[in-house]
């Protein structure tokens, strides 16, 4: 949608393909009884300047909730709460985060919390050079955590569950580089970086995508083909550009062809990329980097929504499950939607009379959870997981439940995967890539990880690339690129720390010395 916006506003004729029946958000996802459902509950963090600008541009009004607290729950009970950091007295990072949460950890000793200090040194070192970054990418996060002295309790009680719901895999399966980027962006860059809010009513599709889609279709001629897959990219006779896109309707199987194509923005994940390249042999030969991207792994997700016959009070509307064996290696979250969307509670019931709490729960790295039946997943929540936050869940009855599985739906940032991730600009000038897993090169943005802001910005930058290089044609010769707002600047102590680290370590490495946790080779 970021790419469609930037291209449409520049005067380019855009066709958007999506396998969803209606990707515009104007037809909400619902259960069989007509109650609303959303695949994953997505937060909007403090440093989402471009999405914030979009909501202002569309004049959406109060589309988000206030910033909210959140909690971590384990079989032992409440482990920690995350406050609204912006409400606390301001201190330089990370002192502000430490001060604001000093009494918020209920079980984790302060010595274990302070053991994360070693990771801050590695964060200062991460972007010293491209070669150094790739060394960290080749390292798994668990190895790095142990090498810099983080305690096992800090790893298992806090970092592991955080990563399972932040990057959707345990630390031993994640790139240390991407892990540090995520932790820095969401937690350490500024005291209030972790402050998060949610959609105030309905869903992301209805609240944000639908008004954007209407504007682009009505004002810029955007054509949307829902329920349609791209099945092949056909090149010009000389193989220098895309000439047409083969399509197939999801419901009917009817095949089609979009001709006279100037450029293609691939906003797909690894599974979609692999399938598209497999069915486009000439294109695959021209852009082997996309073939390689299509071989990367992806993560299974299970999303659940429960409608209960009683209201259950939970102190924090957003919650994380930690250390439950019943999760079978998955990360788990739950959200009290009746608390987050209190003013629009009737909408949560599809127009029916509200009868109790509405709970959304998402499981990531959920391959084992997905093998359970719907009833078993609901029972897992109601009997083992949710009652830890409030025993009253035991007495509540589930009036309706919806369980949906999304196999291989989320990007996996595995160790060593950086060089395989798709680039913004490919070997064919008329093919660009967009999405939160894309390497943006010189257009890199401060939003990191599995992030709505990064996905949107990468779409804008993919379109800007086509405009800047005059790959696409417009009615005017000088189409303007879409503006991209950077996130807040790093704090002075971070800039000084990076500069000092680079000064010392670049000279040290010339003498054969290095940080003990940093792999020596670059491959």
């Amino acid at each position: 949608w970021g790419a469609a916006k930037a291209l449409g506003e520049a005067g380019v004729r855009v066709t958007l393909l999506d396998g969803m029946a209606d990707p515009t958000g104007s037809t909400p996802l619902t259960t069989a009884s007509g109650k609303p459902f959303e695949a994953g509950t997505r937060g909007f963090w403090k440093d989402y300047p471009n999405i914030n600008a979009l909501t202002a541009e569309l004049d959406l009004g109060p589309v988000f909730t206030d910033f909210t607290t959140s909690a971590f729950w384990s079989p032992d009970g409440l482990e920690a709460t995350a406050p609204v950091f912006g409400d606390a007295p301001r201190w330089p990072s990370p002192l502000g985060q430490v001060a604001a949460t000093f009494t918020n950890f209920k079980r984790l000793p302060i010595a274990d919390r302070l053991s994360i200090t070693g990771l801050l040194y590695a964060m200062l070192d991460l972007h010293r050079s491209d070669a150094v970054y790739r060394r960290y990418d080749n390292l798994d996060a668990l190895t790095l955590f142990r090498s810099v002295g983080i305690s096992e309790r800090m790893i298992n009680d806090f970092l592991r569950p955080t990563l399972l719901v932040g990057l959707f895999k345990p630390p031993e399966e994640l790139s240390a580089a991407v892990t540090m980027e995520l932790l820095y962006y969401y937690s350490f860059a500024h005291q209030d970086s972790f402050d998060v809010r949610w959609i105030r009513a309905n869903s992301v599709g209805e609240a944000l995508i639908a008004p954007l889609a209407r504007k682009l279709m009505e004002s810029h001629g955007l054509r949307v083909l829902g329920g349609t897959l791209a099945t092949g990219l056909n090149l010009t006779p000389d193989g220098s550009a895309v000439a047409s896109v083969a399509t197939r309707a999801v419901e009917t199987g009817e095949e089609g062809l979009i001709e006279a194509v100037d450029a293609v923005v691939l906003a797909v994940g690894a599974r979609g990329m692999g399938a598209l390249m497999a069915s486009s042999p000439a294109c695959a030969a021209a852009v082997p980097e996309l073939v390689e991207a299509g071989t990367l792994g992806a993560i299974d997700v299970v999303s659940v929504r429960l409608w209960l016959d009683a209201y259950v009070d939970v102190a924090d509307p957003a919650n994380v499950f930690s250390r439950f064996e019943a999760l079978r290696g998955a990360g788990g979250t739950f959200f009290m939607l009746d608390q987050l969307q209190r003013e629009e509670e009737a909408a949560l019931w599809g127009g029916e009379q509200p009868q109790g709490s509405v709970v959304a729960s998402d499981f990531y790295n959920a391959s084992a959870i997905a093998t359970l039946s719907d009833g078993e997943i609901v029972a897992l929540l109601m009997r083992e997981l949710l009652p830890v936050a409030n025993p009253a869940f035991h007495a509540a009855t589930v009036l309706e439940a919806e369980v949906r599985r999304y196999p291989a739906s989320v990007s996996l940032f595995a160790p060593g995967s950086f060089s395989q991730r798709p680039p913004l600009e490919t070997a064919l000038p008329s093919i660009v890539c967009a999405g939160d897993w894309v390497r943006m090169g010189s257009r890199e943005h401060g939003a990191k990880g599995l992030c709505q802001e990064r996905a949107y910005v990468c779409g804008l930058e993919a379109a800007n690339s086509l405009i800047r290089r005059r790959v696409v044609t417009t009615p005017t010769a000088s189409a303007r690129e879409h503006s991209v707002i950077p996130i807040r600047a790093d704090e002075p102590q971070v800039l000084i720390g990076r500069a000092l680290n680079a000064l010392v370590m670049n000279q040290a490495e010339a003498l054969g010395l290095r940080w003990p946790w940093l792999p020596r080779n670059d491959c």
Side-chain angles (χ1 to χ4, degrees), residues 205-265:
E206 295 167 270
L208 295 184
I209 301 299
L212 173 60
R214 282 195 298 271
K215 177 182 177 182
L216 297 180
M217 289 188 288
E218 294 170 2
S219 301
H220 302 288
L222 174 67
R223 180 180 132 183
V224 178
L225 299 181
T228 304
L229 300 175
T231 57
L233 303 180
N234 305 312
L235 304 187
T236 55
D238 64 0
S240 64
V242 177
S244 62
V245 177
T247 67
R248 185 181 72 249
V250 173
E251 289 293 326
T252 66
E254 181 180 356
E255 297 183 346
L257 189 68
I258 302 175
E259 299 184 276
V261 170
D262 294 312
V264 171
V265 179

Side-chain angles (χ1 to χ4, degrees), residues 2 7 26 81 217 220 227-228 239 243 253 288 332-333 337:
L7 289 168
S26 59
T81 58
M217 289 188 288
H220 302 288
T228 304
T333 60
L337 296 183

Side-chain angles (χ1 to χ4, degrees), residues 234-417:
N234 305 312
L235 304 187
T236 55
D238 64 0
S240 64
V242 177
S244 62
V245 177
T247 67
R248 185 181 72 249
V250 173
E251 289 293 326
T252 66
E254 181 180 356
E255 297 183 346
L257 189 68
I258 302 175
E259 299 184 276
V261 170
D262 294 312
V264 171
V265 179
L266 294 177
V268 296
R271 186 171 67 167
M273 186 75 80
L276 188 58
M277 290 299 105
S279 61
S280 311
C283 183
V287 283
E289 64 268 36
L290 299 189
V291 177
E292 193 169 9
T295 67
L296 289 174
I299 300 168
D300 298 339
V301 179
V302 174
S303 290
V304 184
R305 189 166 288 197
L306 307 174
W307 290 263
L308 308 182
D309 71 341
Y311 289 97
V312 180
D313 183 46
V314 176
D316 302 281
N319 300 270
V320 175
F321 294 123
S322 168
R323 295 193 294 111
F324 286 88
E325 289 187 13
L327 289 173
R328 295 165 171 80
T333 60
F334 77 94
F335 302 87
M336 304 304 296
L337 296 183
D338 54 296
Q339 295 176 208
L340 285 173
Q341 300 188 358
R342 197 181 303 276
E343 296 176 6
E344 301 292 335
E345 186 184 6
L348 292 172
W349 289 81
E352 296 179 7
Q353 179 65 35
Q355 299 185 55
S357 289
V358 180
V359 183
S361 182
D362 302 301
F363 299 98
Y364 305 100
N365 192 36
S367 302
I369 293 283
T371 64
L372 302 177
S373 68
D374 290 3
E376 288 172 326
I377 293 173
V378 172
L380 170 66
L381 280 164
M382 294 299 294
R383 295 174 188 169
E384 297 187 54
L385 300 178
L386 293 173
V388 174
N390 189 333
F393 278 108
H394 277 305
T397 298
V398 177
L399 299 177
E400 184 174 336
E402 186 79 3
V403 179
R404 299 192 184 184
R405 296 163 178 80
Y406 302 93
S409 60
V410 179
S411 301
L412 169 58
F413 296 101
S417 63

Side-chain angles (χ1 to χ4, degrees), residues 470-492:
R470 299 181 183 269
V471 175
V472 292
T473 57
T474 64
T476 60
S478 56
R480 289 190 303 172
E481 297 178 35
H482 196 289
S483 64
V484 174
I485 305 169
I487 64 170
R488 287 179 287 175
D490 290 323
E491 293 184 0

Side-chain angles (χ1 to χ4, degrees), residues 494-510:
V494 174
L495 298 175
I496 293 171
R498 284 180 183 156
L500 290 174
N501 173 75
L503 180 67
V504 172
M505 291 311 301
N506 286 342
Q507 295 187 34
E509 285 197 346

